[in-house]
Amino acid sequence: LIYWSNHSGIWMPENLAAVNAYGLELEAKYSQRIRKLDVGTSLNYQYLKTALTEERFPGDPSKGKQLPYQPEHNLLGLLKISYKNSTLTINQKWTSTRYVASDHSQYLEPLFLFNAGIGHNFSLGPTILEVALFCDNILDREFFSVNRRPMPGRTFGIQITTKLNNEI
């Protein structure tokens, strides 16, 4: 397995001779029309176990441990409410502890993020456009994706998606 590891802030490929990787993904979805609203919700759970099965050197403390930056558990909840051509989306994501050292001596705390967005679809001739405004990390939680490198706080964005109509 070619694995990208972070050595003092520099990402480098590392060839791991033998790794066990297995997991489970479960998803439950539900949708309902309530008066003029389309309401949909989903819950997604992912379990991922990745472990080195052979020592890279004698006495390697990482043998049998979860690979760095690979959370064992992820949980994503989504609520989507649509009315005519407008949609409100709210999601929350929880990620378990992520180890940043192969011997598990350093780790990133579990992470909970809350995001939301609102979008509107409309047509311009044969082209369908969706314009969406979103906010990631609404609660302005400081979190880390790489040890000692905090991600930005609350993030706002605009997204424009185009779907071209193939009719002639």
Side-chain angles (χ1 to χ4, degrees):
L1 172 71
I2 300 295
Y3 180 74
W4 286 88
S5 55
N6 186 351
H7 298 281
S8 302
I10 299 171
W11 289 92
M12 300 174 62
E14 185 177 345
N15 191 2
L16 302 179
V19 173
N20 272 346
Y22 57 90
L24 172 71
E25 182 171 0
L26 301 171
E27 185 171 37
K29 291 183 176 185
Y30 179 77
S31 61
Q32 177 75 39
R33 181 145 180 102
I34 303 171
R35 298 185 188 200
K36 294 182 180 183
L37 297 177
D38 290 317
V39 179
T41 185
S42 68
L43 186 62
N44 179 283
Y45 169 75
Q46 298 168 351
Y47 170 77
L48 177 63
K49 186 67 176 172
T50 57
L52 189 63
T53 59
E54 292 181 9
E55 293 180 337
R56 297 173 295 170
F57 51 86
D60 185 356
S62 63
K63 182 181 175 189
K65 291 186 168 70
Q66 183 81 353
L67 291 178
Y69 296 102
Q70 301 296 313
E72 210 169 323
H73 306 278
N74 280 306
L75 187 63
L76 178 66
L78 174 74
L79 173 65
K80 186 174 182 179
I81 301 170
S82 299
Y83 175 75
K84 294 185 180 180
N85 293 329
S86 298
T87 303
L88 171 68
T89 305
I90 300 169
N91 70 55
Q92 56 187 15
K93 181 178 182 179
W94 177 82
T95 300
S96 66
T97 300
R98 292 153 293 144
Y99 297 100
V100 295
S102 59
D103 64 357
H104 289 190
S105 61
Q106 297 176 5
Y107 58 90
L108 300 175
E109 295 289 334
L111 171 63
F112 177 79
L113 292 178
F114 184 63
N115 309 311
I118 188 164
H120 185 74
N121 292 318
F122 57 94
S123 297
L124 284 177
T127 304
I128 298 171
L129 293 173
E130 179 186 16
V131 177
L133 304 174
F134 64 87
C135 180
D136 291 338
N137 192 12
I138 289 174
L139 303 176
D140 200 23
R141 172 134 188 233
E142 182 176 290
F143 68 95
F144 297 83
S145 62
V146 176
N147 201 23
R148 296 182 304 276
R149 293 180 187 268
M151 294 301 290
R154 192 175 297 120
T155 305
F156 297 95
I158 299 172
Q159 178 178 338
I160 300 173
T161 307
T162 306
K163 185 187 288 186
L164 300 175
N165 191 342
N166 292 331
E167 292 180 18
I168 295 178

